[in-house]
Amino acid sequence: MKHDFDDTITAGQRPQLQSTMPDLDDTIIISARRTAAVVKPYQRPVESQAKQASPTTAQEAARLRARAAAQVKPPRAPVEPTAASSALYYRVQLDGTGQMYSLEHACVFGRDPRPPRIVKGVGPRLVAVQSPQREVSETHVEVRQLGASVIVTDLRSTNGSIIQVPGNAARKLRQGESVVVSTGTLVDIGDGNIIRILPRRRLE
């Protein structure tokens, strides 16, 4: 006979009995049942409320906070226009060619212009012009902006430079002479090469 974990006896196949009163079930009633042991529910050990994180855990948390702070990018400040982009510059144009140059840098015109021997800061823009009759010197004239003024300087050319300021008669510059001109001034350097001073505008 084999006993299960509880007190119910597992029996073999029973013969069919002819009984006038049916049994309630097949469980055998015993006089006394062993008292089952009382099993207490599992309780986790109570941790101290004053328990602090270990140094390793605290260091890891600090690293995570630092990493999260590094990933948060501060908002970008609006880009303010620089002095160069907000400044106004005169322009010069060679009549008949459509070529225009802004005077953020000085312009030197000539048949084969050369930069000065001593250059302070950014050198001038060299603009070569056609001169079939060789009336234009290799390095003929300079046009530069100084503040809100335009200055034309003859660079000791052979044939000189003729300027015509609006409202004034045309005149020829002496070798090495500088003169302040205004918008609309024409500078004739020979062989049909005329430089026109255009109004100021911001760089594009």
Side-chain angles (χ1 to χ4, degrees):
M1 185 179 298
K2 182 179 178 181
H3 291 275
D4 199 355
F5 291 103
D6 57 12
D7 296 331
T8 303
I9 298 176
T10 302
Q13 186 177 3
R14 291 191 180 93
Q16 296 181 357
L17 301 178
Q18 300 294 330
S19 176
T20 57
M21 294 182 64
D23 196 1
L24 295 177
D25 56 20
D26 294 336
T27 303
I28 298 177
I29 300 175
I30 59 176
S31 58
R33 184 184 295 272
R34 289 179 297 178
T35 303
V38 178
V39 180
K40 296 182 178 180
Y42 173 76
Q43 294 182 353
R44 298 178 61 181
V46 179
E47 297 181 357
S48 174
Q49 297 180 355
K51 182 179 180 181
Q52 299 180 353
S54 63
T56 303
T57 305
Q59 292 175 1
E60 182 66 22
R63 284 196 296 269
L64 292 175
R65 287 194 298 269
R67 184 181 302 173
Q71 293 177 353
V72 177
K73 297 182 179 179
R76 294 184 178 181
V79 179
E80 298 181 357
T82 61
S85 63
S86 60
L88 297 175
Y89 293 99
Y90 289 95
R91 294 163 296 148
V92 292
Q93 181 182 28
L94 277 172
D95 277 6
T97 65
Q99 296 177 350
M100 288 189 297
Y101 307 94
S102 178
L103 291 182
E104 77 273 17
H105 304 305
C107 291
V108 173
F109 295 85
R111 194 174 69 250
D112 185 17
R114 306 292 177 85
R117 294 181 179 178
I118 300 175
V119 177
K120 294 182 179 180
V122 180
R125 179 185 287 113
L126 305 178
V127 182
V129 300
Q130 299 295 323
S131 181
Q133 304 299 322
R134 303 180 71 86
E135 294 179 1
V136 180
S137 299
E138 289 187 352
T139 305
H140 196 107
V141 71
E142 178 195 70
V143 183
R144 78 166 53 241
Q145 178 173 334
L146 184 60
S149 302
V150 177
I151 301 175
V152 177
T153 302
D154 181 87
L155 300 176
R156 300 189 177 278
S157 63
T158 301
N159 296 308
S161 305
I162 299 175
I163 65 169
Q164 184 174 4
V165 179
N168 295 276
R171 75 178 186 89
K172 187 176 182 178
L173 295 180
R174 298 185 301 271
Q175 286 187 346
E177 183 183 1
S178 297
V179 63
V180 176
V181 299
S182 59
T183 300
T185 297
L186 302 178
V187 183
D188 187 350
I189 60 177
D191 262 344
N193 294 290
I194 299 177
I195 304 168
R196 184 183 299 270
I197 310 300
L198 300 178
R200 293 187 297 171
R201 64 183 300 178
R202 288 185 173 85
L203 295 177
E204 296 180 355

